[in-house]
Amino acid sequence: MSKKEKISQVISRELLNQIESGTFPPGSKLPTEMELSTQFGVSRVPIREALSMLRAAGMVSSRQGGGTYVEEATNSTLLQRVRIESDDVESIKHLFEMRKILEPEGAYLAALRRTPEQLERMKEILKRMEDESLQKGTSAIDADIDFHRSVILATHNPIMIQTLENLSSLYKRSLDITLRPNVELRQRREAVYKEHYNILLAIEAEEPELAKIQCVIHLKNAEKKLSLLLRDYTV
């Protein structure tokens, strides 16, 4: 059974439609939070959440001096609707629910149990992600998957490891969808890299609670983006 959409999701989709239609072209400034609150007849809380979703997807950015602006890189290719079979949509939603259970706890345990060799492996993968994403401008999907796998391997929990392996094909499909728009958005690629880097720093420092929190932050941002990419479906 589909969950009822949050007001912020409805607003983010409407703003995205206005960006696509040219009402707010690339480089233009969006109305203020107060103006949007009046326009949609809601408080500023869902407006902030809607703007946060658009920022997570790389569609808008906040600039020094105030204001939210549509990214210059926004174009028809970036805004192209994702075509996914309905069965895949449901599977991706279910996968994400599992990721929110598995990965934060995995990061927590990795910070307690990782070996020096496993830590070095994480650093090597993250360096590859940096090269592929920030230097070459790709989505770095394989490096992203390898990083999360290396974290789960560092838990030394065979059931968690097997669970991740069982989800590998769907995992790659999901990341292909969520990371695809990042190819044209360096700012978003930098943000994704930084989220992974923060997870690594916490694991290196053997700070399990911090590692868990950083993983939750990463997944929340990914979830915001996913809700926009699957905007033709109830999330």
Side-chain angles (χ1 to χ4, degrees), residues 118-132 140 142-151 153 193 196 200:
Q118 287 171 329
L119 181 63
E120 285 306 308
R121 175 61 177 157
M122 292 178 204
K123 290 181 178 179
E124 290 171 5
I125 295 170
L126 201 60
K127 181 62 170 65
R128 178 156 57 93
M129 180 187 292
E130 180 183 24
D131 292 340
E132 294 176 4
D142 290 338
D144 195 308
I145 292 173
D146 287 345
F147 179 81
H148 289 288
R149 180 181 287 117
S150 71
V151 171
L153 286 172
Y193 169 78
H196 287 81
L200 173 64

Short mmCIF file of all heavy atoms in Angstrom, two decimals, residues 118-132 140 142-151 153 193 196 200:
data_model
loop_
_atom_site.label_atom_id
_atom_site.label_comp_id
_atom_site.label_asym_id
_atom_site.label_seq_id
_atom_site.Cartn_x
_atom_site.Cartn_y
_atom_site.Cartn_z
N GLN A 118 41.60 -3.24 6.28
CA GLN A 118 40.28 -2.86 5.76
C GLN A 118 40.14 -1.34 5.67
O GLN A 118 39.52 -0.83 4.73
CB GLN A 118 39.19 -3.45 6.65
CG GLN A 118 39.04 -4.95 6.47
CD GLN A 118 38.12 -5.58 7.50
OE1 GLN A 118 38.02 -5.12 8.64
NE2 GLN A 118 37.43 -6.65 7.09
N LEU A 119 40.72 -0.63 6.62
CA LEU A 119 40.69 0.83 6.56
C LEU A 119 41.44 1.33 5.33
O LEU A 119 40.97 2.24 4.63
CB LEU A 119 41.30 1.42 7.83
CG LEU A 119 41.31 2.95 7.90
CD1 LEU A 119 39.89 3.51 7.91
CD2 LEU A 119 42.09 3.42 9.14
N GLU A 120 42.58 0.73 5.05
CA GLU A 120 43.35 1.13 3.87
C GLU A 120 42.56 0.85 2.59
O GLU A 120 42.62 1.62 1.63
CB GLU A 120 44.70 0.40 3.84
CG GLU A 120 45.72 0.94 4.82
CD GLU A 120 45.94 2.43 4.67
OE1 GLU A 120 46.21 2.87 3.53
OE2 GLU A 120 45.82 3.15 5.68
N ARG A 121 41.84 -0.26 2.59
CA ARG A 121 41.01 -0.60 1.43
C ARG A 121 39.93 0.46 1.21
O ARG A 121 39.68 0.89 0.08
CB ARG A 121 40.38 -1.98 1.65
CG ARG A 121 39.40 -2.41 0.57
CD ARG A 121 40.05 -2.51 -0.78
NE ARG A 121 39.10 -2.99 -1.78
CZ ARG A 121 39.22 -2.77 -3.08
NH1 ARG A 121 40.27 -2.09 -3.54
NH2 ARG A 121 38.34 -3.24 -3.93
N MET A 122 39.29 0.91 2.29
CA MET A 122 38.29 1.97 2.18
C MET A 122 38.91 3.25 1.60
O MET A 122 38.31 3.92 0.76
CB MET A 122 37.68 2.28 3.55
CG MET A 122 36.83 1.17 4.13
SD MET A 122 36.21 1.64 5.78
CE MET A 122 35.93 0.02 6.48
N LYS A 123 40.12 3.57 2.06
CA LYS A 123 40.79 4.78 1.57
C LYS A 123 41.12 4.66 0.09
O LYS A 123 40.99 5.64 -0.68
CB LYS A 123 42.07 5.03 2.38
CG LYS A 123 41.82 5.46 3.81
CD LYS A 123 43.13 5.71 4.54
CE LYS A 123 42.89 6.18 5.97
NZ LYS A 123 44.16 6.42 6.71
N GLU A 124 41.54 3.48 -0.33
CA GLU A 124 41.85 3.26 -1.75
C GLU A 124 40.60 3.43 -2.61
O GLU A 124 40.65 4.05 -3.68
CB GLU A 124 42.42 1.85 -1.95
CG GLU A 124 43.80 1.65 -1.37
CD GLU A 124 44.22 0.18 -1.39
OE1 GLU A 124 43.46 -0.64 -1.95
OE2 GLU A 124 45.30 -0.13 -0.85
N ILE A 125 39.50 2.89 -2.14
CA ILE A 125 38.24 3.00 -2.89
C ILE A 125 37.79 4.45 -2.95
O ILE A 125 37.33 4.93 -4.00
CB ILE A 125 37.16 2.12 -2.25
CG1 ILE A 125 37.53 0.64 -2.36
CG2 ILE A 125 35.80 2.36 -2.92
CD1 ILE A 125 36.64 -0.28 -1.56
N LEU A 126 37.91 5.15 -1.84
CA LEU A 126 37.48 6.55 -1.81
C LEU A 126 38.36 7.40 -2.73
O LEU A 126 37.86 8.34 -3.37
CB LEU A 126 37.54 7.08 -0.38
CG LEU A 126 36.66 8.32 -0.12
CD1 LEU A 126 35.19 8.01 -0.38
CD2 LEU A 126 36.85 8.83 1.30
N LYS A 127 39.64 7.07 -2.80
CA LYS A 127 40.53 7.79 -3.73
C LYS A 127 40.09 7.52 -5.18
O LYS A 127 40.09 8.44 -6.02
CB LYS A 127 41.98 7.32 -3.54
CG LYS A 127 42.98 8.02 -4.44
CD LYS A 127 43.02 9.52 -4.17
CE LYS A 127 44.17 10.21 -4.88
NZ LYS A 127 44.04 10.17 -6.34
N ARG A 128 39.68 6.31 -5.46
CA ARG A 128 39.18 5.98 -6.81
C ARG A 128 37.90 6.76 -7.08
O ARG A 128 37.69 7.26 -8.19
CB ARG A 128 38.94 4.47 -6.91
CG ARG A 128 38.37 4.02 -8.25
CD ARG A 128 38.71 2.56 -8.53
NE ARG A 128 38.23 1.67 -7.49
CZ ARG A 128 37.05 1.05 -7.50
NH1 ARG A 128 36.20 1.25 -8.51
NH2 ARG A 128 36.71 0.24 -6.54
N MET A 129 37.02 6.85 -6.07
CA MET A 129 35.80 7.62 -6.24
C MET A 129 36.11 9.09 -6.53
O MET A 129 35.48 9.72 -7.39
CB MET A 129 34.93 7.52 -4.98
CG MET A 129 33.61 8.29 -5.08
SD MET A 129 32.67 8.33 -3.53
CE MET A 129 32.20 6.61 -3.41
N GLU A 130 37.10 9.62 -5.81
CA GLU A 130 37.49 11.02 -6.03
C GLU A 130 38.00 11.21 -7.46
O GLU A 130 37.62 12.17 -8.15
CB GLU A 130 38.58 11.41 -5.04
CG GLU A 130 39.05 12.85 -5.19
CD GLU A 130 40.16 13.20 -4.24
OE1 GLU A 130 40.88 12.27 -3.79
OE2 GLU A 130 40.33 14.39 -3.94
N ASP A 131 38.84 10.31 -7.94
CA ASP A 131 39.40 10.41 -9.29
C ASP A 131 38.30 10.32 -10.35
O ASP A 131 38.25 11.11 -11.29
CB ASP A 131 40.44 9.31 -9.53
CG ASP A 131 41.69 9.51 -8.69
OD1 ASP A 131 41.91 10.64 -8.23
OD2 ASP A 131 42.42 8.52 -8.50
N GLU A 132 37.42 9.33 -10.18
CA GLU A 132 36.39 9.10 -11.20
C GLU A 132 35.31 10.17 -11.17
O GLU A 132 34.83 10.61 -12.22
CB GLU A 132 35.75 7.72 -10.99
CG GLU A 132 36.72 6.57 -11.23
CD GLU A 132 36.10 5.21 -10.93
OE1 GLU A 132 34.89 5.18 -10.60
OE2 GLU A 132 36.81 4.21 -11.03
N ALA A 140 30.79 7.41 -10.94
CA ALA A 140 31.59 6.56 -10.03
C ALA A 140 30.73 5.53 -9.32
O ALA A 140 30.90 5.28 -8.12
CB ALA A 140 32.34 7.42 -9.02
N ASP A 142 30.59 2.17 -9.57
CA ASP A 142 31.29 0.99 -9.06
C ASP A 142 32.07 1.31 -7.78
O ASP A 142 32.08 0.51 -6.83
CB ASP A 142 32.22 0.41 -10.12
CG ASP A 142 31.45 -0.24 -11.26
OD1 ASP A 142 30.28 -0.61 -11.05
OD2 ASP A 142 32.01 -0.36 -12.37
N ALA A 143 32.71 2.47 -7.76
CA ALA A 143 33.47 2.86 -6.57
C ALA A 143 32.52 3.08 -5.39
O ALA A 143 32.84 2.73 -4.25
CB ALA A 143 34.27 4.13 -6.84
N ASP A 144 31.37 3.66 -5.67
CA ASP A 144 30.37 3.89 -4.62
C ASP A 144 29.92 2.57 -4.02
O ASP A 144 29.88 2.39 -2.79
CB ASP A 144 29.17 4.63 -5.22
CG ASP A 144 28.26 5.24 -4.16
OD1 ASP A 144 27.86 4.50 -3.25
OD2 ASP A 144 27.94 6.44 -4.26
N ILE A 145 29.60 1.61 -4.88
CA ILE A 145 29.17 0.29 -4.40
C ILE A 145 30.30 -0.38 -3.62
O ILE A 145 30.06 -0.96 -2.55
CB ILE A 145 28.74 -0.59 -5.58
CG1 ILE A 145 27.45 -0.03 -6.20
CG2 ILE A 145 28.52 -2.04 -5.13
CD1 ILE A 145 27.03 -0.73 -7.47
N ASP A 146 31.51 -0.31 -4.14
CA ASP A 146 32.66 -0.95 -3.48
C ASP A 146 32.90 -0.35 -2.10
O ASP A 146 33.28 -1.07 -1.16
CB ASP A 146 33.92 -0.81 -4.33
CG ASP A 146 33.90 -1.72 -5.54
OD1 ASP A 146 33.06 -2.65 -5.58
OD2 ASP A 146 34.72 -1.51 -6.47
N PHE A 147 32.68 0.96 -1.96
CA PHE A 147 32.89 1.60 -0.66
C PHE A 147 31.91 1.05 0.37
O PHE A 147 32.30 0.66 1.48
CB PHE A 147 32.75 3.11 -0.75
CG PHE A 147 32.95 3.81 0.57
CD1 PHE A 147 34.22 4.06 1.05
CD2 PHE A 147 31.86 4.18 1.34
CE1 PHE A 147 34.41 4.68 2.28
CE2 PHE A 147 32.02 4.80 2.57
CZ PHE A 147 33.30 5.06 3.04
N HIS A 148 30.64 1.01 0.00
CA HIS A 148 29.64 0.51 0.95
C HIS A 148 29.87 -0.97 1.26
O HIS A 148 29.66 -1.40 2.40
CB HIS A 148 28.23 0.74 0.40
CG HIS A 148 27.83 2.19 0.41
ND1 HIS A 148 27.53 2.87 1.57
CD2 HIS A 148 27.70 3.09 -0.60
CE1 HIS A 148 27.21 4.12 1.28
NE2 HIS A 148 27.31 4.29 -0.03
N ARG A 149 30.32 -1.72 0.28
CA ARG A 149 30.64 -3.13 0.51
C ARG A 149 31.82 -3.26 1.48
O ARG A 149 31.81 -4.11 2.37
CB ARG A 149 30.95 -3.84 -0.80
CG ARG A 149 31.29 -5.32 -0.61
CD ARG A 149 31.63 -6.00 -1.93
NE ARG A 149 30.45 -6.21 -2.75
CZ ARG A 149 30.24 -5.66 -3.94
NH1 ARG A 149 31.13 -4.84 -4.45
NH2 ARG A 149 29.14 -5.92 -4.62
N SER A 150 32.82 -2.40 1.31
CA SER A 150 33.99 -2.47 2.19
C SER A 150 33.62 -2.16 3.64
O SER A 150 34.20 -2.72 4.57
CB SER A 150 35.09 -1.51 1.70
OG SER A 150 34.74 -0.16 1.91
N VAL A 151 32.66 -1.27 3.82
CA VAL A 151 32.21 -0.94 5.18
C VAL A 151 31.51 -2.15 5.80
O VAL A 151 31.77 -2.51 6.95
CB VAL A 151 31.27 0.28 5.16
CG1 VAL A 151 30.62 0.49 6.54
CG2 VAL A 151 32.02 1.54 4.75
N LEU A 153 31.88 -5.29 4.96
CA LEU A 153 32.88 -6.34 5.19
C LEU A 153 33.62 -6.11 6.51
O LEU A 153 33.99 -7.06 7.20
CB LEU A 153 33.88 -6.38 4.03
CG LEU A 153 33.38 -6.97 2.72
CD1 LEU A 153 34.41 -6.76 1.61
CD2 LEU A 153 33.07 -8.45 2.88
N TYR A 193 30.74 12.80 -2.59
CA TYR A 193 32.08 12.38 -2.18
C TYR A 193 32.32 12.76 -0.71
O TYR A 193 32.84 11.96 0.07
CB TYR A 193 33.14 13.00 -3.07
CG TYR A 193 34.54 12.81 -2.54
CD1 TYR A 193 35.20 11.60 -2.69
CD2 TYR A 193 35.19 13.84 -1.84
CE1 TYR A 193 36.48 11.41 -2.17
CE2 TYR A 193 36.46 13.65 -1.32
CZ TYR A 193 37.10 12.44 -1.49
OH TYR A 193 38.35 12.24 -0.98
N HIS A 196 30.67 10.43 1.80
CA HIS A 196 31.42 9.18 1.97
C HIS A 196 32.71 9.42 2.77
O HIS A 196 33.09 8.60 3.61
CB HIS A 196 31.77 8.58 0.61
CG HIS A 196 30.60 7.98 -0.11
ND1 HIS A 196 29.70 8.74 -0.83
CD2 HIS A 196 30.16 6.70 -0.20
CE1 HIS A 196 28.78 7.94 -1.35
NE2 HIS A 196 29.02 6.71 -0.98
N LEU A 200 34.07 7.68 6.29
CA LEU A 200 35.41 7.10 6.44
C LEU A 200 36.16 7.70 7.62
O LEU A 200 36.79 6.97 8.40
CB LEU A 200 36.21 7.31 5.15
CG LEU A 200 37.69 6.90 5.20
CD1 LEU A 200 37.83 5.41 5.43
CD2 LEU A 200 38.40 7.32 3.93
#
